[in-house]
């Protein structure tokens, strides 16, 4: 049956479509070269040759200064073999060609001056900008991007065995896009903008700051808009930062001045789309189709401080601190209570009403709504509700906010409160952190104290995933009632954080996430009652109340997470440090930013040209695995079946005989009877009574196995590399894997040895594993239930057995249960969204028959 259904917005005049799950999840085929797209035979222009561009690209990427560039060009001219392929002769040539490239291949920055009145004095500030409409137009007319645009709102459904259940991921699958399209003329096309702004430190000590404004196009897939290519984030503005006089700092009038400056500066950036939001404009797009385009700011991505600037609210200490709703400050911990949402209409009406009052009454009215006495420039954009566009930011609200600044600090406080035992308690937690096995993409930590040096939200996120496993034996209920309750609160926070971060959301996950919010609220109240000295009336304890509303309206939270835009600030710091004289830096930084953009545009065009030329080369009939093997790995594809292997061994080791293998592992019970047990397995596989393996017969060992699996969340292909290596980076590493027994019944195993054997003309890809499926001890069951831990116990090492490598579903991370004296493990289910979701439906067997 067709398991996927797509309903399109009525204005699209498109019929509902149905697909099988396989059809929907199959990777889309690469688009054939489009004859309608004009081919540029010299995409490196205005650089005279491709080599000129590629050398200049390297110089830019290396952040060379003028002296270094001059020397490099001298060396190239001395060594060049073909004078015609490299034409640059001096640094001046290099600068001129970049200037020309900026003028011809990208929209440069303009400087505009804004003025504000303050204390009867006219103050002027420089705003650097690329008009935002020029950026919109550049994307629309780009023939390499236009086929990636989504124009129609969609509602996606998947059959869950009982009914069609809606799922949401990209912005065009959520409600706000659909609702906005309701307001457009039939046949019109929306261009949705994701808007980001935030101050950033340019110098190491923060004495020099920049204020970049970045935009992304929500019509493009997340892989493109959050990437670094032409369709990724674009720097469109550099806002002024007024100097703060010590006498003025914190005063109401000066605070309002800074906000007035911000909004006047942003108006200069967005002014170019103001008329188009009202009546649209016809554009001949890169596919030669004329579309009536309506630009619209759909999403505002910012941390809370910047949200307060954008919404013109009074910040975290005000009576109504939330930028989205009117929750009173004292009600923040009460997450199950809802309060009226801010809207452009209601907030503008309050501000207008306040203008007719005397200063005292005006201030009191605005305070009661948490508003500043400044007009919001975004109120004037048709259809843009600034408060609906402002979006929950996982990076700052959770990872680098609620956890880093509050939950983690409470852990440290409770450890310190243990008095004489605090030092040994912290040492035990540090030991637990250090013993956590490595896992790809998960930061490793040596101590609790070292978190005070962290400044990266991703590291705080990773620390939150392991702190329970490193500390549960220290903050046990009998040692610290507060500490154990805090771990329960952190567990609920982690569940909520995982629900919030899912890349594909369903009606089921949204409902479950909302239920978890209530669990978090209950635990928070219990903890606050035990610890009344800790206040929870700060905005980041409240803003996650709006997570699931944002998901329903704007899609998965990665659509508005600030992480991609904050990452884009990194190059700006390099530009400042390596390309400026540290005076009047805005124009210098932006000049290099333009060069970087030009370089990206040209590199994208060259790559497209190379790919097109490769596509023109006749195929030789060969096939290639999507799962790439390391050099030296044998071809594991069955010649009679060209299907892509799901499991591939890699890092081939010298072949070894059974005798040599058993001798080298003579002291390890897991390898006792290796040859005999393997012979029994082969006999069962071949359905014969007996298989004889001789001592001098050989097998091929491997250092790792690469396992491909389909994520239960987004249905995309993922891979784990699982190692069985006695000396991986100077230490033994034997990874864990989840192995299928039947249906959703599985066990975890530790991989001890990976090998293949050729027998009677057939190759068997196997692994020696230690099953972890012994019934757990009665000890600690109450703790497991309270902290929602999955505890498992391994068999004796002598009970090792062989499995087919293809029975491995995926890798897993297990840590020692430090509170157990029976050698048990705990499953770390937070390593990624698939493992977390998989553990909710997987039945872990005991005494599995495998």
């Amino acid at each position: 049956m067709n398991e996927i259904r797509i309903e399109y917005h009525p204005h699209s005049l498109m019929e509902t479509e149905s697909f099988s799950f396989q059809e929907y999840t199959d990777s889309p085929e690469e688009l054939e070269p489009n004859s309608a797209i004009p081919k540029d035979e010299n995409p490196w222009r205005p650089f005279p040759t491709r080599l000129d561009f590629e050398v200049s690209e390297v110089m830019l990427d290396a952040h060379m200064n003028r002296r270094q560039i001059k020397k490099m060009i001298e060396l190239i001219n001395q060594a060049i073999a073909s004078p015609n392929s490299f034409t640059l002769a001096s640094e001046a040539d290099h600068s001129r060609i970049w200037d020309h490239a900026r003028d011809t291949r990208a929209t440069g920055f303009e400087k505009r001056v804004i003025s504000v009145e303050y204390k009867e004095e006219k103050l002027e500030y420089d705003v650097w900008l690329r008009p935002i409409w020029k950026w919109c137009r550049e994307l629309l007319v780009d023939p390499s991007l236009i086929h990636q645009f989504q124009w129609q709102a969609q509602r996606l459904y998947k059959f869950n065995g009982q009914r069609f259940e809606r799922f949401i991921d990209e912005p065009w699958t959520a409600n706000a896009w659909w609702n906005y399209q309701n307001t457009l003329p039939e046949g019109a096309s929306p261009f949705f903008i994701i808007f980001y702004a935030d101050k950033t430190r340019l110098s190491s000590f923060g004495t020099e700051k920049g204020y970049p404004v970045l935009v992304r196009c929500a019509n493009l897939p997340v892989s493109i808009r959050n990437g670094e290519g032409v369709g990724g984030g674009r720097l469109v503005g550099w806002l002024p930062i007024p100097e703060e006089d010590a006498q003025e700092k914190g005063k109401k009038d000066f605070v309002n001045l800074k906000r007035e400056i911000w909004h006047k500066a942003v108006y200069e950036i967005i002014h170019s789309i103001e008329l188009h939001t009202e009546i649209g404009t016809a554009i001949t797009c890169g596919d030669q189709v004329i579309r009536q385009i309506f630009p619209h700011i759909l999403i505002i991505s910012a941390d809370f401080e910047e949200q307060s600037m954008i919404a013109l609210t009074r910040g975290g200490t005000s009576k109504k601190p939330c930028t989205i709703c009117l929750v009173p400050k004292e009600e923040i911990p009460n997450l199950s209570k809802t309060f009226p949402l801010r809207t452009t209409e209601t907030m503008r009406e309050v501000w207008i009403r306040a203008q007719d009052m005397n200063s005292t009454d005006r201030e009191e009215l605005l305070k009661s709504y948490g508003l500043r006495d400044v007009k919001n420039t975004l109120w004037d954009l048709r259809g843009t509700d600034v408060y609906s566009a402002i979006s929950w930011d996982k990076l700052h609200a959770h990872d680098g906010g609620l956890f880093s600044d509050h939950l983690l600090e409470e852990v440290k406080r409770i450890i310190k409160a243990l008095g004489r035992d605090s030092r040994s308690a912290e040492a035990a937690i540090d030991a637990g952190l250090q013993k956590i096995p490595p896992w790809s993409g998960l930061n490793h930590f040596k101590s609790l104290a070292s978190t005070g040096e962290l400044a990266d939200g991703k590291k705080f996120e990773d620390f939150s995933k392991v702190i329970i496993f490193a500390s549960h034996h220290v903050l046990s209920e009998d040692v610290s009632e507060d500490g154990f309750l805090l771990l329960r609160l952190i567990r609920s926070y982690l569940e909520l954080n995982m629900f919030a971060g899912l890349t594909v959301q369903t009606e089921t996950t949204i409902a479950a996430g909302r239920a978890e919010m209530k669990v978090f609220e209950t635990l928070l109240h219990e903890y606050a009652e035990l610890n009344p000295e800790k206040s929870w009336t700060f905005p980041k304890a409240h803003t996650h109340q709006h997570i699931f509303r944002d998901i329903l309206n704007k899609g998965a939270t990665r659509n508005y997470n600030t992480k991609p835009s904050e990452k884009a600030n990194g190059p700006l710091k390099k530009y400042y440090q390596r390309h400026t004289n540290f005076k009047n830096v805005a124009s210098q930084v932006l000049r290099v930013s333009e060069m970087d953009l030009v370089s990206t545009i040209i590199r994208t065009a060259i790559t497209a040209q190379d790919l097109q030329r490769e596509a023109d080369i006749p195929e030789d009939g060969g096939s290639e695995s999507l799962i790439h093997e390391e050099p030296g790995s044998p071809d594991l594809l069955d010649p009679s079946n060209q299907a892509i292997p799901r499991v591939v061994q890699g890092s081939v080791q010298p072949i070894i005989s059974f005798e040599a293998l058993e001798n080298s592992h003579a002291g390890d019970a897991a390898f006792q009877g290796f040859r005999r047990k393997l012979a029994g397995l082969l006999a069962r596989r071949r359905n014969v009574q007996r298989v004889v393996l001789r001592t001098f017969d050989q097998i091929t060992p491997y250092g790792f196995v690469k396992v491909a699996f389909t994520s239960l969340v987004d249905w995309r292909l993922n891979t784990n590399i699982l190692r069985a290596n006695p000396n991986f980076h100077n230490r033994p590493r034997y990874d864990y894997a989840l192995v299928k027994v039947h249906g959703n019944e599985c066990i975890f195993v530790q991989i001890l040895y990976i090998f293949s054997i050729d027998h009677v003309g057939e190759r068997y890809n196997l692994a020696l594993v230690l099953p972890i499926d012994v019934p757990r001890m009665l000890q600690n069951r109450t703790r497991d239930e309270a902290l929602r831990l999955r505890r498992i116990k391994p068999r004796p090492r002598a009970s090792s057995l062989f499995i087919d490598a293809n029975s491995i579903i995926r890798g897993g991370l297990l840590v020692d249960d430090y509170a157990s004296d029976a050698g048990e493990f705990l499953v770390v289910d937070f390593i990624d969204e698939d493992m977390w979701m998989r553990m909710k439906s997987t039945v872990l067997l005991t005494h599995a028959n495998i």
Side-chain angles (χ1 to χ4, degrees):
M1 67 171 294
N2 290 330
E3 300 164 283
I4 301 293
R5 189 171 71 204
I6 303 178
E7 295 178 359
Y8 296 96
H9 192 276
H11 287 185
S12 71
L13 304 180
M14 297 172 65
E15 296 292 330
T16 297
E17 294 184 303
S18 297
F19 301 91
S20 71
F21 184 70
Q22 187 65 43
E23 289 172 331
Y24 183 79
T25 56
D26 276 347
S27 299
E29 297 180 4
E30 291 186 12
L31 293 173
E32 293 294 325
N34 193 328
S35 58
I37 298 176
K39 297 179 180 178
D40 186 354
E41 296 297 331
N42 301 297
W44 47 82
R45 293 180 300 183
F47 291 84
T49 70
R50 175 170 178 164
L51 184 58
D52 285 346
F53 166 70
E54 291 185 336
V55 170
S56 299
E57 182 185 35
V58 169
M59 292 174 177
L60 176 64
D61 190 55
H63 300 285
M64 292 183 177
N65 58 34
R66 292 175 183 268
R67 180 185 57 80
Q68 291 168 326
I69 292 171
K70 179 180 178 181
K71 182 62 177 177
M72 177 61 71
I73 293 174
E74 289 175 359
L75 292 173
I76 290 172
N77 280 323
Q78 292 172 14
I80 196 164
S82 174
N84 294 329
S85 21
F86 186 65
T87 64
L88 298 181
S90 67
E91 191 279 330
D93 279 355
H94 179 263
S95 293
R96 277 196 296 271
I97 194 67
W98 272 121
D99 289 341
H100 184 47
R102 289 199 308 275
D103 292 340
T104 59
R105 298 302 293 263
T107 303
F109 280 90
E110 306 171 11
K111 185 176 84 169
R112 295 189 186 167
V113 178
I114 61 170
S115 62
V116 293
E117 296 287 336
Y118 184 63
K119 293 185 176 180
E120 301 182 352
E121 182 181 354
K122 184 178 180 181
L123 305 178
E124 293 188 339
Y125 296 92
D126 294 339
V127 184
W128 292 87
L129 61 99
R130 287 189 184 109
I132 201 169
W133 176 245
K134 288 189 177 180
W135 163 74
C136 298
R137 188 182 181 89
E138 284 177 16
L139 296 189
L140 289 166
V141 302
D142 189 332
S144 68
L145 276 180
I146 195 64
H147 296 285
Q148 299 288 348
F149 270 69
Q150 292 287 338
W151 299 110
Q152 308 301 334
Q154 302 172 13
R155 287 176 178 163
L156 308 182
Y157 300 87
K158 181 178 182 293
F159 191 71
N160 64 10
Q162 297 179 323
R163 64 182 181 88
F164 277 95
E165 179 181 31
R166 188 176 176 192
F167 66 93
I168 294 172
D169 50 9
E170 295 279 13
W172 53 85
T173 70
N175 293 339
W177 188 307
W178 188 285
N179 294 338
Y180 179 74
Q181 204 161 342
N182 285 338
T183 69
L184 295 182
E186 197 166 295
S189 299
F191 184 105
F192 285 113
I193 297 165
I194 300 173
F195 182 94
Y196 166 89
D198 194 19
K199 276 186 289 199
T200 185
R201 294 180 179 181
L202 298 177
S203 60
S204 301
F205 298 101
T207 52
E208 185 69 45
K209 295 179 181 179
Y211 212 143
V213 176
L214 282 85
V215 288
R216 299 175 191 272
C217 177
N219 300 63
L220 293 170
V222 65
S223 58
I224 294 177
R225 70 171 179 269
N226 282 355
E228 299 178 356
V230 176
R234 184 71 61 87
L235 182 65
V236 295
W238 195 267
L239 303 180
I241 303 175
E243 293 185 8
E244 293 202 17
D245 189 315
Q247 295 180 341
E248 296 284 352
K249 187 173 182 179
K251 290 186 177 180
K252 180 193 71 174
D253 289 345
F254 187 73
V255 170
N256 287 346
L257 170 69
K258 290 192 293 184
R259 280 144 183 77
E260 184 179 359
I261 291 168
W262 190 98
H263 279 262
K264 283 199 170 187
V266 166
Y267 177 76
E268 295 297 322
I269 298 171
I270 66 174
H271 172 64
S272 60
I273 65 169
E274 188 173 13
L275 180 61
H276 302 325
T277 65
E278 293 280 350
I279 61 175
T281 184
I283 294 289
T284 302
C285 298
D287 55 0
Q288 304 307 304
V289 174
I290 299 175
R291 293 182 174 89
Q292 187 75 5
I293 301 294
F294 282 79
H296 177 75
I297 297 178
L298 178 71
I299 290 169
I300 293 173
S301 172
D303 63 20
F304 177 77
E305 290 70 22
E306 193 67 21
Q307 289 180 10
S308 299
M309 178 73 81
I310 296 169
L312 286 173
T313 51
R314 293 180 178 245
T317 61
S318 67
K319 293 180 179 179
K320 303 284 176 63
C322 182
T323 57
I324 296 172
C325 78
L326 294 171
V327 58
K329 183 177 175 63
E330 63 274 12
E331 292 283 1
I332 279 177
N334 299 319
L335 296 170
S336 57
K337 285 188 178 182
T338 57
F339 298 88
L341 296 174
R342 296 181 187 271
T343 67
T344 288
E345 183 180 2
T346 57
M347 294 301 102
R348 178 164 47 191
E349 189 275 330
V350 169
W351 183 81
I352 291 173
R353 183 154 46 99
Q355 303 313 299
D356 294 332
M357 299 178 176
N358 62 50
S359 59
T360 301
D361 291 344
R362 178 168 66 243
E363 185 68 5
E364 283 305 309
L365 175 63
L366 294 173
K367 273 186 177 181
S368 70
Y369 285 87
L371 287 176
R372 293 283 178 189
D373 190 12
V374 178
K375 184 183 177 184
N376 196 312
T377 194
L378 297 173
W379 287 343
D380 295 331
L381 283 181
R382 174 200 171 272
T384 294
D385 189 306
V386 58
Y387 311 101
S388 295
I390 288 173
S391 307
W392 184 78
D393 174 34
K394 180 177 179 294
L395 178 65
H396 292 98
H398 260 194
D399 305 325
L402 181 56
F403 178 76
S404 65
D405 297 343
H406 300 279
L407 295 174
L408 179 56
E409 290 304 307
E410 283 299 285
V411 171
K412 295 177 181 179
R413 183 189 65 79
I414 286 176
I415 293 296
K416 189 175 181 180
L418 294 176
R420 291 182 304 172
D421 297 328
S422 63
R423 186 170 296 178
S424 60
E426 186 169 349
I429 293 175
D430 292 347
L433 289 169
Q434 293 163 20
K435 289 179 184 176
I436 292 175
W439 182 260
S440 177
L442 186 71
N443 285 288
H444 200 264
F445 303 93
K446 293 184 177 181
S447 68
L448 182 63
S450 67
T451 59
E453 303 168 5
L454 301 182
D456 182 353
K458 173 64 169 66
K459 290 182 179 177
F460 281 118
E461 179 186 19
D462 288 353
F463 195 84
S464 72
K465 292 178 178 181
V466 298
I467 184 59
I468 292 176
F469 301 96
S471 63
H472 63 86
H473 60 304
V474 175
L475 298 177
S476 58
E477 192 168 18
D478 58 332
V479 171
S480 172
E481 182 183 0
D482 289 6
F484 189 71
L485 182 55
L486 178 61
L487 293 186
R488 292 178 61 200
L489 181 62
I490 291 174
R491 175 71 200 207
S492 182
Y493 159 83
L494 286 167
E495 292 287 323
L496 195 55
N497 203 38
M498 294 301 291
F499 276 119
L502 291 176
T503 53
V504 174
Q505 296 279 354
T506 67
E507 294 172 48
T508 299
T509 60
I510 290 171
R514 284 175 164 161
E516 187 62 50
M517 184 79 71
K518 294 180 180 179
V519 174
F520 180 86
E521 178 188 32
T522 299
L523 291 170
L524 180 62
H525 287 176
E526 290 180 24
Y527 185 79
E529 189 174 341
L530 277 179
N531 299 272
E533 70 281 4
K534 168 62 181 173
S535 171
W536 296 93
T537 58
F538 51 88
K540 291 176 184 178
H542 159 80
T543 56
H544 54 194
Q545 185 187 63
H546 302 296
I547 292 172
F548 301 106
R549 174 178 167 271
D550 273 351
I551 289 168
L552 285 168
N553 284 335
K554 291 168 279 192
T557 57
R558 67 175 176 176
N559 297 335
Y560 31 90
N561 196 322
T562 58
K563 186 182 295 185
S565 296
E566 291 220 341
K567 183 180 177 183
N569 288 341
L572 300 178
K573 297 175 185 179
K574 290 183 179 179
Y575 303 159
Y576 166 77
Q577 292 163 1
R578 302 185 187 183
H579 294 273
T580 74
N581 60 7
F582 309 113
K583 300 175 183 178
N584 301 317
V585 301
S587 60
Q588 300 173 70
V589 168
L590 296 176
R591 174 180 176 274
V592 185
S593 174
E594 290 172 13
M595 293 164 65
D596 189 56
L597 173 60
V598 169
S599 177
T600 299
I601 292 171
I602 295 176
R603 171 51 61 193
T604 300
I606 289 176
T607 300
Q609 182 191 69
D610 290 345
L611 290 173
Q612 188 155 4
R613 287 176 175 172
E614 288 177 14
D616 293 338
I617 300 174
E619 295 184 9
D620 59 6
S623 63
E624 184 177 323
S625 171
L626 289 178
I627 306 171
H628 297 291
E629 304 163 40
E630 286 198 345
S633 298
D635 180 10
L636 299 181
L637 286 172
D638 181 351
S640 64
N641 180 9
Q642 292 299 310
I644 298 169
R646 195 183 66 81
V647 177
V648 177
Q649 286 114 324
S651 187
V652 63
Q653 305 296 304
I655 58 175
I656 189 171
S657 69
F658 289 115
E659 181 178 28
L661 174 66
E662 291 180 344
N663 287 341
S664 64
H665 293 83
D668 189 344
F671 285 81
Q672 288 180 5
F674 186 99
R675 179 168 57 97
R676 173 180 51 80
K677 288 195 286 189
L678 181 57
L681 174 70
L682 294 177
R684 292 191 296 274
R685 287 291 184 86
R686 294 180 53 211
N687 198 23
V688 298
Q689 188 170 1
R690 186 182 179 203
V691 166
V692 176
L693 297 177
R694 298 161 297 188
T695 58
F696 56 81
D697 287 339
Q698 297 176 322
I699 60 175
T700 304
Y702 300 91
F704 70 79
V705 60
K706 188 172 185 180
V707 181
F709 61 94
T710 301
S711 168
L712 293 185
V713 177
D714 65 4
W715 315 309
R716 295 182 182 275
L717 193 68
N718 292 262
T719 57
N720 291 150
I721 294 178
L722 307 177
R723 302 186 184 276
N725 193 327
N727 188 24
F728 184 71
H729 294 307
N730 300 316
R731 63 178 63 186
R733 178 166 172 179
Y734 297 94
D735 287 336
Y736 302 96
L738 186 66
V739 173
K740 181 176 180 178
V741 178
H742 178 72
N744 69 334
E745 297 176 337
C746 304
I747 66 169
F748 280 97
V749 301
Q750 185 174 27
I751 302 173
L752 306 177
Y753 200 72
I754 304 165
F755 67 99
S756 65
I757 181 171
D758 295 317
H759 183 70
V760 194
E762 188 171 352
R763 171 162 292 186
Y764 297 87
N765 301 309
L766 305 170
L768 178 70
V769 302
L770 182 63
I772 309 175
D773 62 347
V774 175
R776 60 181 183 166
M777 306 293 288
L778 292 175
Q779 176 190 25
N780 296 324
R781 288 198 176 188
T782 302
R783 175 212 62 183
D784 295 348
E785 183 177 350
L787 297 180
R788 295 183 254 183
L789 300 176
R790 301 290 291 266
R791 178 162 49 97
I792 53 180
K793 183 180 178 182
R795 298 182 189 182
R797 228 175 141 74
S799 298
S800 64
L801 49 79
F802 296 105
I803 62 169
D804 188 322
N806 281 296
S807 67
I808 298 175
I809 297 175
R810 56 155 299 156
L813 178 61
L814 307 183
V815 301
D816 292 334
D817 182 353
Y818 307 122
S820 170
D821 53 11
E824 295 173 306
F825 296 107
L826 298 173
V827 180
V828 182
D829 46 357
F830 300 116
I831 50 176
D832 56 52
E833 63 179 8
D834 172 78
M835 177 59 82
W836 177 74
M837 187 65 73
R838 198 176 290 272
M839 284 296 96
K840 294 187 179 301
S841 60
T842 296
V843 176
L844 293 180
L845 295 178
T846 56
H847 299 309
N849 183 20
I850 60 173

